[in-house]
Amino acid sequence: MSEKRRDNRNRVLRFGESQRPDGRYQFKYQDNDGKVKFVYSWRLDKNDRTPAGKKRELSLREKEKQVEHDLFDHIIANGGNLTVLELVEKYISLKTGVRHNTEANYKFVTNIIAKEDFGKKRIDRVHLSDAKAWLIKLQKDGRGYSSIHTVRGVVRPAFQMAVDDDLIRKNPFNFELASVIVNDSVTREAITRKQEREFLRFIQEDKHFCKYYDGIYILFNTGLRISEFCGLTVKDIDFKEMRINVDHQLQRKRNMEYVIEDTKTSSGKRFVPMTQEVAECFRRILANRRKPKVEPMVDGYTGFLFLDKNEMPMVALHWEKYFQHILEKYNSIYKVQMPKITPHVCRHTFCSKMAKSGMNPKTLQYIMGHADISVTLNTYSHVGFEDAREELNRVADG
């Protein structure tokens, strides 16, 4: 009968366990693929002391238990040797048919991870505290909340894929982002009715910017997304039914390629009713629309309402710049400064106006093209005391 192996403290070692000449313990095993693997520790048992000058870690037998659990659950050893960057790249490679702005977000995220030491970390060595510490570092390095939100929005499902593929046991990014970093993003608030009137009056009376008045008035009074507005064609304006057909949006990629895409959500396909004032704006736009030498066509769509100097359809960036220049001129003239106004602020302002006027939330959801009623209902959070008092008096009088 062979004598049992013992360590330098005369303790009996189990099958697969051994102690090296330098005192370090070793456990030898085979993974689910039959490959020989080793785990090491300076301590055999959890009650052992860590030798002086050595980093404290789990004892060998604690690591053995982890190995047993992983083998039983068929967890692939070492996370398949994938780094964080490799995992994210693998996750993105499986996403097909994504929109160009989503594709741009993926590239943005991978560029950030590629520059970080965290991106070189093996995925099975990323713990909850590591994930949180990395996001905190990104904010300390100057990354905004929205950028970090975008990063986490890609990394978290990538790690969940690793969990589902049995590469790791837990997803270290399963936590509320707001509980870790400060939300320093600026909320795009709706402007007041008085501010809207002043802004539109200024545009209408300005010799240079007056040509944008009708378009900006429409944005303030329809709630259209700017990409939906840019995608409108002559055929989409129905004066007989007094409605706007919204079933697509116009985008321009970074390589300057124009594309037509579906609306943001399936609920985005809708008919938006027109007031008489909005209809008059469209009539003027159509009357003043200059005839290009060749009508631009994008994915089969033609007859776009607004064309740039190159006789190509205007896109969101054009209108964002117009708003910026108008605002700069306004604030350079008047002491009472106008807050930041963008095409999206117009949409938010319209939604708030309708909410404050007492429009049924489901009706407002339809007009806005919101897929989730909670998005629409969040608009009602801007209702203040005066709005509440007016509504109460209106109900009481009724």
Side-chain angles (χ1 to χ4, degrees), residues 145-195:
Y145 181 88
S146 59
S147 293
I148 298 172
H149 185 274
T150 299
V151 170
R152 207 280 294 262
V154 175
V155 175
R156 180 163 68 172
F159 268 88
Q160 188 56 48
M161 181 184 74
V163 172
D164 297 338
D165 284 350
D166 296 323
L167 295 174
I168 53 176
R169 189 174 291 280
K170 292 181 181 179
N171 187 341
F173 282 89
N174 270 344
F175 54 83
E176 290 294 325
L177 185 61
S179 67
V180 177
I181 64 172
V182 178
N183 187 348
D184 57 0
S185 58
V186 178
T187 304
R188 290 173 290 197
E189 296 285 352
I191 61 174
T192 66
R193 297 194 185 202
K194 182 180 178 182
Q195 288 171 329

Short mmCIF file of all heavy atoms in Angstrom, two decimals, residues 145-195:
data_model
loop_
_atom_site.label_atom_id
_atom_site.label_comp_id
_atom_site.label_asym_id
_atom_site.label_seq_id
_atom_site.Cartn_x
_atom_site.Cartn_y
_atom_site.Cartn_z
N TYR A 145 -21.93 61.26 -18.44
CA TYR A 145 -22.84 60.19 -18.02
C TYR A 145 -23.44 59.49 -19.23
O TYR A 145 -23.53 58.26 -19.26
CB TYR A 145 -23.95 60.77 -17.13
CG TYR A 145 -24.92 59.73 -16.63
CD1 TYR A 145 -24.67 59.04 -15.44
CD2 TYR A 145 -26.09 59.44 -17.32
CE1 TYR A 145 -25.55 58.08 -14.97
CE2 TYR A 145 -26.98 58.48 -16.86
CZ TYR A 145 -26.71 57.81 -15.68
OH TYR A 145 -27.60 56.86 -15.22
N SER A 146 -23.85 60.26 -20.23
CA SER A 146 -24.50 59.65 -21.40
C SER A 146 -23.53 58.74 -22.15
O SER A 146 -23.92 57.67 -22.65
CB SER A 146 -25.05 60.73 -22.33
OG SER A 146 -24.01 61.58 -22.77
N SER A 147 -22.24 59.14 -22.23
CA SER A 147 -21.24 58.30 -22.90
C SER A 147 -21.02 57.00 -22.13
O SER A 147 -20.94 55.92 -22.73
CB SER A 147 -19.91 59.05 -23.01
OG SER A 147 -20.02 60.15 -23.88
N ILE A 148 -20.94 57.11 -20.80
CA ILE A 148 -20.74 55.92 -19.97
C ILE A 148 -21.97 55.03 -20.05
O ILE A 148 -21.86 53.80 -20.07
CB ILE A 148 -20.43 56.33 -18.52
CG1 ILE A 148 -19.13 57.15 -18.47
CG2 ILE A 148 -20.31 55.10 -17.62
CD1 ILE A 148 -18.83 57.77 -17.12
N HIS A 149 -23.14 55.65 -20.12
CA HIS A 149 -24.38 54.89 -20.28
C HIS A 149 -24.35 54.08 -21.58
O HIS A 149 -24.77 52.92 -21.62
CB HIS A 149 -25.57 55.85 -20.27
CG HIS A 149 -26.91 55.18 -20.30
ND1 HIS A 149 -27.52 54.81 -21.47
CD2 HIS A 149 -27.74 54.81 -19.30
CE1 HIS A 149 -28.68 54.24 -21.20
NE2 HIS A 149 -28.83 54.22 -19.88
N THR A 150 -23.83 54.69 -22.62
CA THR A 150 -23.71 54.01 -23.92
C THR A 150 -22.73 52.84 -23.81
O THR A 150 -22.99 51.75 -24.34
CB THR A 150 -23.22 54.99 -25.00
OG1 THR A 150 -24.18 56.05 -25.14
CG2 THR A 150 -23.05 54.29 -26.34
N VAL A 151 -21.59 53.07 -23.15
CA VAL A 151 -20.59 52.01 -22.97
C VAL A 151 -21.19 50.83 -22.22
O VAL A 151 -21.08 49.67 -22.64
CB VAL A 151 -19.35 52.55 -22.23
CG1 VAL A 151 -18.42 51.41 -21.84
CG2 VAL A 151 -18.61 53.57 -23.09
N ARG A 152 -21.83 51.13 -21.09
CA ARG A 152 -22.41 50.07 -20.28
C ARG A 152 -23.52 49.34 -21.05
O ARG A 152 -23.75 48.14 -20.88
CB ARG A 152 -22.94 50.65 -18.97
CG ARG A 152 -22.99 49.66 -17.77
CD ARG A 152 -24.18 48.75 -17.81
NE ARG A 152 -25.40 49.49 -17.63
CZ ARG A 152 -26.05 49.61 -16.48
NH1 ARG A 152 -25.60 49.02 -15.41
NH2 ARG A 152 -27.18 50.29 -16.42
N GLY A 153 -24.21 50.08 -21.93
CA GLY A 153 -25.28 49.50 -22.72
C GLY A 153 -24.81 48.45 -23.70
O GLY A 153 -25.60 47.63 -24.18
N VAL A 154 -23.53 48.45 -24.01
CA VAL A 154 -22.94 47.43 -24.89
C VAL A 154 -22.22 46.36 -24.06
O VAL A 154 -22.35 45.16 -24.33
CB VAL A 154 -21.96 48.06 -25.89
CG1 VAL A 154 -21.26 46.99 -26.73
CG2 VAL A 154 -22.68 49.06 -26.79
N VAL A 155 -21.50 46.79 -23.04
CA VAL A 155 -20.69 45.86 -22.25
C VAL A 155 -21.56 44.90 -21.45
O VAL A 155 -21.26 43.70 -21.35
CB VAL A 155 -19.72 46.63 -21.33
CG1 VAL A 155 -18.97 45.66 -20.42
CG2 VAL A 155 -18.74 47.45 -22.14
N ARG A 156 -22.64 45.41 -20.88
CA ARG A 156 -23.49 44.54 -20.05
C ARG A 156 -24.07 43.36 -20.83
O ARG A 156 -23.95 42.21 -20.39
CB ARG A 156 -24.60 45.33 -19.36
CG ARG A 156 -25.49 44.45 -18.49
CD ARG A 156 -26.33 45.20 -17.50
NE ARG A 156 -27.36 46.01 -18.13
CZ ARG A 156 -28.32 46.65 -17.45
NH1 ARG A 156 -28.35 46.56 -16.13
NH2 ARG A 156 -29.22 47.38 -18.08
N PRO A 157 -24.72 43.59 -21.99
CA PRO A 157 -25.23 42.43 -22.73
C PRO A 157 -24.12 41.53 -23.27
O PRO A 157 -24.33 40.32 -23.47
CB PRO A 157 -26.03 43.06 -23.87
CG PRO A 157 -25.54 44.46 -24.00
CD PRO A 157 -25.13 44.85 -22.62
N ALA A 158 -22.93 42.10 -23.51
CA ALA A 158 -21.80 41.28 -23.95
C ALA A 158 -21.42 40.29 -22.85
O ALA A 158 -21.19 39.09 -23.12
CB ALA A 158 -20.62 42.16 -24.32
N PHE A 159 -21.37 40.76 -21.61
CA PHE A 159 -21.05 39.87 -20.49
C PHE A 159 -22.19 38.88 -20.23
O PHE A 159 -21.94 37.75 -19.81
CB PHE A 159 -20.73 40.69 -19.23
CG PHE A 159 -19.27 41.01 -19.07
CD1 PHE A 159 -18.73 42.14 -19.66
CD2 PHE A 159 -18.43 40.17 -18.37
CE1 PHE A 159 -17.38 42.44 -19.54
CE2 PHE A 159 -17.08 40.44 -18.24
CZ PHE A 159 -16.55 41.58 -18.83
N GLN A 160 -23.42 39.30 -20.50
CA GLN A 160 -24.54 38.37 -20.33
C GLN A 160 -24.44 37.24 -21.35
O GLN A 160 -24.77 36.09 -21.06
CB GLN A 160 -25.87 39.10 -20.49
CG GLN A 160 -27.09 38.25 -20.14
CD GLN A 160 -27.01 37.68 -18.74
OE1 GLN A 160 -26.73 38.39 -17.79
NE2 GLN A 160 -27.26 36.38 -18.60
N MET A 161 -23.97 37.58 -22.54
CA MET A 161 -23.72 36.55 -23.56
C MET A 161 -22.67 35.56 -23.06
O MET A 161 -22.80 34.35 -23.28
CB MET A 161 -23.25 37.21 -24.86
CG MET A 161 -22.99 36.23 -25.99
SD MET A 161 -22.31 37.02 -27.48
CE MET A 161 -20.62 37.35 -26.92
N ALA A 162 -21.65 36.08 -22.37
CA ALA A 162 -20.60 35.21 -21.82
C ALA A 162 -21.17 34.29 -20.75
O ALA A 162 -20.77 33.11 -20.65
CB ALA A 162 -19.46 36.05 -21.25
N VAL A 163 -22.12 34.80 -19.96
CA VAL A 163 -22.79 33.96 -18.95
C VAL A 163 -23.59 32.87 -19.64
O VAL A 163 -23.52 31.69 -19.28
CB VAL A 163 -23.72 34.82 -18.05
CG1 VAL A 163 -24.56 33.92 -17.14
CG2 VAL A 163 -22.92 35.81 -17.22
N ASP A 164 -24.36 33.26 -20.66
CA ASP A 164 -25.19 32.30 -21.39
C ASP A 164 -24.36 31.25 -22.12
O ASP A 164 -24.81 30.12 -22.33
CB ASP A 164 -26.09 33.03 -22.39
CG ASP A 164 -27.07 33.97 -21.71
OD1 ASP A 164 -27.34 33.77 -20.51
OD2 ASP A 164 -27.56 34.92 -22.36
N ASP A 165 -23.14 31.62 -22.50
CA ASP A 165 -22.23 30.70 -23.19
C ASP A 165 -21.39 29.88 -22.23
O ASP A 165 -20.47 29.16 -22.66
CB ASP A 165 -21.30 31.48 -24.14
CG ASP A 165 -22.00 31.93 -25.41
OD1 ASP A 165 -23.14 31.50 -25.65
OD2 ASP A 165 -21.40 32.73 -26.15
N ASP A 166 -21.68 30.00 -20.91
CA ASP A 166 -20.95 29.26 -19.88
C ASP A 166 -19.47 29.63 -19.82
O ASP A 166 -18.61 28.81 -19.47
CB ASP A 166 -21.08 27.75 -20.08
CG ASP A 166 -22.52 27.27 -19.93
OD1 ASP A 166 -23.23 27.83 -19.08
OD2 ASP A 166 -22.92 26.37 -20.67
N LEU A 167 -19.16 30.85 -20.18
CA LEU A 167 -17.77 31.32 -20.07
C LEU A 167 -17.49 31.86 -18.68
O LEU A 167 -16.37 31.78 -18.18
CB LEU A 167 -17.50 32.40 -21.12
CG LEU A 167 -17.55 31.98 -22.58
CD1 LEU A 167 -17.40 33.19 -23.50
CD2 LEU A 167 -16.44 30.96 -22.88
N ILE A 168 -18.51 32.45 -18.06
CA ILE A 168 -18.41 32.98 -16.70
C ILE A 168 -19.71 32.66 -15.96
O ILE A 168 -20.72 32.32 -16.58
CB ILE A 168 -18.16 34.51 -16.69
CG1 ILE A 168 -19.22 35.25 -17.52
CG2 ILE A 168 -16.76 34.84 -17.16
CD1 ILE A 168 -19.11 36.76 -17.47
N ARG A 169 -19.67 32.77 -14.65
CA ARG A 169 -20.83 32.40 -13.85
C ARG A 169 -21.79 33.57 -13.63
O ARG A 169 -23.02 33.40 -13.64
CB ARG A 169 -20.36 31.86 -12.50
CG ARG A 169 -21.47 31.24 -11.66
CD ARG A 169 -20.89 30.61 -10.42
NE ARG A 169 -20.10 29.43 -10.74
CZ ARG A 169 -20.62 28.23 -10.99
NH1 ARG A 169 -21.93 28.06 -10.98
NH2 ARG A 169 -19.84 27.21 -11.26
N LYS A 170 -21.26 34.78 -13.43
CA LYS A 170 -22.10 35.94 -13.12
C LYS A 170 -21.75 37.11 -14.05
O LYS A 170 -20.61 37.22 -14.51
CB LYS A 170 -21.91 36.38 -11.67
CG LYS A 170 -22.44 35.40 -10.64
CD LYS A 170 -22.21 35.96 -9.23
CE LYS A 170 -22.72 34.99 -8.17
NZ LYS A 170 -22.48 35.53 -6.79
N ASN A 171 -22.72 37.97 -14.26
CA ASN A 171 -22.50 39.19 -15.05
C ASN A 171 -22.10 40.32 -14.09
O ASN A 171 -22.92 40.77 -13.30
CB ASN A 171 -23.78 39.57 -15.79
CG ASN A 171 -23.57 40.74 -16.76
OD1 ASN A 171 -22.62 41.49 -16.64
ND2 ASN A 171 -24.48 40.89 -17.69
N PRO A 172 -20.85 40.79 -14.16
CA PRO A 172 -20.40 41.83 -13.22
C PRO A 172 -20.99 43.21 -13.49
O PRO A 172 -20.80 44.13 -12.68
CB PRO A 172 -18.88 41.83 -13.43
CG PRO A 172 -18.70 41.39 -14.86
CD PRO A 172 -19.79 40.39 -15.10
N PHE A 173 -21.69 43.37 -14.60
CA PHE A 173 -22.26 44.69 -14.93
C PHE A 173 -23.75 44.78 -14.62
O PHE A 173 -24.40 45.73 -15.03
CB PHE A 173 -22.00 45.03 -16.40
CG PHE A 173 -20.61 45.49 -16.67
CD1 PHE A 173 -19.61 44.57 -16.98
CD2 PHE A 173 -20.28 46.83 -16.58
CE1 PHE A 173 -18.31 45.00 -17.20
CE2 PHE A 173 -18.98 47.26 -16.81
CZ PHE A 173 -17.98 46.35 -17.12
N ASN A 174 -24.27 43.82 -13.86
CA ASN A 174 -25.68 43.86 -13.49
C ASN A 174 -25.90 44.73 -12.26
O ASN A 174 -26.07 44.24 -11.15
CB ASN A 174 -26.23 42.44 -13.24
CG ASN A 174 -26.77 41.83 -14.50
OD1 ASN A 174 -27.03 42.52 -15.48
ND2 ASN A 174 -26.97 40.51 -14.49
N PHE A 175 -25.86 46.03 -12.45
CA PHE A 175 -26.13 46.97 -11.37
C PHE A 175 -26.69 48.25 -11.97
O PHE A 175 -26.57 48.50 -13.17
CB PHE A 175 -24.86 47.27 -10.56
CG PHE A 175 -23.69 47.75 -11.39
CD1 PHE A 175 -23.58 49.08 -11.77
CD2 PHE A 175 -22.70 46.87 -11.78
CE1 PHE A 175 -22.51 49.52 -12.54
CE2 PHE A 175 -21.62 47.29 -12.54
CZ PHE A 175 -21.52 48.63 -12.92
N GLU A 176 -27.35 49.04 -11.14
CA GLU A 176 -27.91 50.32 -11.59
C GLU A 176 -26.78 51.32 -11.77
O GLU A 176 -26.02 51.59 -10.85
CB GLU A 176 -28.93 50.85 -10.57
CG GLU A 176 -30.22 50.06 -10.51
CD GLU A 176 -31.01 50.16 -11.80
OE1 GLU A 176 -30.97 51.24 -12.43
OE2 GLU A 176 -31.64 49.16 -12.17
N LEU A 177 -26.70 51.89 -12.97
CA LEU A 177 -25.60 52.81 -13.27
C LEU A 177 -25.63 54.03 -12.37
O LEU A 177 -24.59 54.51 -11.90
CB LEU A 177 -25.69 53.24 -14.75
CG LEU A 177 -24.54 54.11 -15.27
CD1 LEU A 177 -23.22 53.37 -15.16
CD2 LEU A 177 -24.80 54.52 -16.71
N ALA A 178 -26.83 54.54 -12.11
CA ALA A 178 -26.97 55.76 -11.30
C ALA A 178 -26.51 55.55 -9.86
O ALA A 178 -26.25 56.52 -9.14
CB ALA A 178 -28.42 56.24 -11.32
N SER A 179 -26.39 54.28 -9.43
CA SER A 179 -25.93 54.02 -8.06
C SER A 179 -24.41 54.04 -7.96
O SER A 179 -23.86 53.96 -6.87
CB SER A 179 -26.45 52.64 -7.60
OG SER A 179 -25.84 51.60 -8.34
N VAL A 180 -23.75 54.16 -9.12
CA VAL A 180 -22.28 54.10 -9.14
C VAL A 180 -21.65 55.43 -9.55
O VAL A 180 -20.70 55.89 -8.93
CB VAL A 180 -21.81 52.98 -10.10
CG1 VAL A 180 -20.29 52.95 -10.21
CG2 VAL A 180 -22.34 51.63 -9.64
N ILE A 181 -22.19 56.06 -10.61
CA ILE A 181 -21.62 57.32 -11.07
C ILE A 181 -22.67 58.42 -11.01
O ILE A 181 -23.88 58.16 -10.98
CB ILE A 181 -21.05 57.21 -12.50
CG1 ILE A 181 -22.16 56.90 -13.51
CG2 ILE A 181 -19.96 56.17 -12.57
CD1 ILE A 181 -21.69 56.98 -14.95
N VAL A 182 -22.21 59.65 -11.04
CA VAL A 182 -23.10 60.82 -10.94
C VAL A 182 -23.69 61.11 -12.31
O VAL A 182 -22.98 61.18 -13.32
CB VAL A 182 -22.32 62.05 -10.44
CG1 VAL A 182 -23.22 63.27 -10.37
CG2 VAL A 182 -21.70 61.76 -9.08
N ASN A 183 -25.01 61.29 -12.33
CA ASN A 183 -25.69 61.66 -13.59
C ASN A 183 -25.54 63.16 -13.79
O ASN A 183 -26.30 63.95 -13.26
CB ASN A 183 -27.17 61.27 -13.53
CG ASN A 183 -27.86 61.48 -14.87
OD1 ASN A 183 -27.32 62.11 -15.77
ND2 ASN A 183 -29.07 60.96 -15.00
N ASP A 184 -24.51 63.54 -14.57
CA ASP A 184 -24.23 64.96 -14.80
C ASP A 184 -24.78 65.43 -16.15
O ASP A 184 -24.45 66.51 -16.62
CB ASP A 184 -22.72 65.22 -14.76
CG ASP A 184 -21.95 64.36 -15.77
OD1 ASP A 184 -22.58 63.57 -16.49
OD2 ASP A 184 -20.72 64.49 -15.82
N SER A 185 -25.62 64.59 -16.77
CA SER A 185 -26.17 64.98 -18.07
C SER A 185 -27.20 66.09 -17.90
O SER A 185 -27.92 66.15 -16.90
CB SER A 185 -26.82 63.77 -18.77
OG SER A 185 -27.83 63.22 -17.96
N VAL A 186 -27.26 66.96 -18.88
CA VAL A 186 -28.18 68.09 -18.83
C VAL A 186 -29.51 67.65 -19.43
O VAL A 186 -29.58 67.19 -20.57
CB VAL A 186 -27.63 69.30 -19.62
CG1 VAL A 186 -28.62 70.45 -19.61
CG2 VAL A 186 -26.29 69.72 -19.04
N THR A 187 -30.58 67.78 -18.65
CA THR A 187 -31.90 67.42 -19.14
C THR A 187 -32.39 68.47 -20.12
O THR A 187 -32.32 69.67 -19.86
CB THR A 187 -32.90 67.33 -17.96
OG1 THR A 187 -32.40 66.40 -17.00
CG2 THR A 187 -34.26 66.87 -18.43
N ARG A 188 -32.89 68.01 -21.25
CA ARG A 188 -33.39 68.94 -22.25
C ARG A 188 -34.81 69.33 -21.87
O ARG A 188 -35.77 68.61 -22.15
CB ARG A 188 -33.33 68.31 -23.64
CG ARG A 188 -31.91 68.14 -24.16
CD ARG A 188 -31.87 67.36 -25.44
NE ARG A 188 -32.19 65.97 -25.21
CZ ARG A 188 -31.92 64.99 -26.07
NH1 ARG A 188 -31.32 65.25 -27.20
NH2 ARG A 188 -32.26 63.74 -25.81
N GLU A 189 -34.95 70.46 -21.21
CA GLU A 189 -36.25 70.89 -20.72
C GLU A 189 -37.04 71.56 -21.83
O GLU A 189 -36.49 72.16 -22.74
CB GLU A 189 -36.07 71.88 -19.55
CG GLU A 189 -35.41 71.27 -18.33
CD GLU A 189 -36.34 70.37 -17.54
OE1 GLU A 189 -37.55 70.33 -17.87
OE2 GLU A 189 -35.87 69.68 -16.62
N ALA A 190 -38.36 71.47 -21.69
CA ALA A 190 -39.23 72.22 -22.59
C ALA A 190 -39.14 73.70 -22.23
O ALA A 190 -38.92 74.06 -21.07
CB ALA A 190 -40.67 71.73 -22.43
N ILE A 191 -39.28 74.56 -23.22
CA ILE A 191 -39.30 75.99 -22.94
C ILE A 191 -40.74 76.42 -22.69
O ILE A 191 -41.69 75.70 -23.01
CB ILE A 191 -38.66 76.81 -24.09
CG1 ILE A 191 -39.43 76.60 -25.41
CG2 ILE A 191 -37.20 76.43 -24.25
CD1 ILE A 191 -38.95 77.49 -26.54
N THR A 192 -40.92 77.60 -22.12
CA THR A 192 -42.26 78.08 -21.81
C THR A 192 -42.94 78.58 -23.08
O THR A 192 -42.29 78.81 -24.10
CB THR A 192 -42.19 79.24 -20.79
OG1 THR A 192 -41.53 80.36 -21.41
CG2 THR A 192 -41.42 78.82 -19.54
N ARG A 193 -44.24 78.78 -22.99
CA ARG A 193 -44.98 79.29 -24.14
C ARG A 193 -44.51 80.70 -24.51
O ARG A 193 -44.43 81.04 -25.68
CB ARG A 193 -46.48 79.29 -23.84
CG ARG A 193 -47.02 77.89 -23.59
CD ARG A 193 -48.53 77.86 -23.64
NE ARG A 193 -49.02 76.52 -23.27
CZ ARG A 193 -50.19 76.04 -23.60
NH1 ARG A 193 -51.02 76.78 -24.32
NH2 ARG A 193 -50.59 74.84 -23.22
N LYS A 194 -44.18 81.47 -23.48
CA LYS A 194 -43.70 82.83 -23.73
C LYS A 194 -42.36 82.78 -24.46
O LYS A 194 -42.14 83.53 -25.43
CB LYS A 194 -43.54 83.59 -22.41
CG LYS A 194 -43.07 85.03 -22.60
CD LYS A 194 -42.93 85.74 -21.26
CE LYS A 194 -42.40 87.17 -21.48
NZ LYS A 194 -42.21 87.89 -20.20
N GLN A 195 -41.46 81.91 -24.03
CA GLN A 195 -40.16 81.77 -24.70
C GLN A 195 -40.34 81.29 -26.14
O GLN A 195 -39.65 81.76 -27.04
CB GLN A 195 -39.28 80.80 -23.92
CG GLN A 195 -38.77 81.34 -22.59
CD GLN A 195 -38.10 80.28 -21.75
OE1 GLN A 195 -38.45 79.09 -21.82
NE2 GLN A 195 -37.11 80.68 -20.96
#
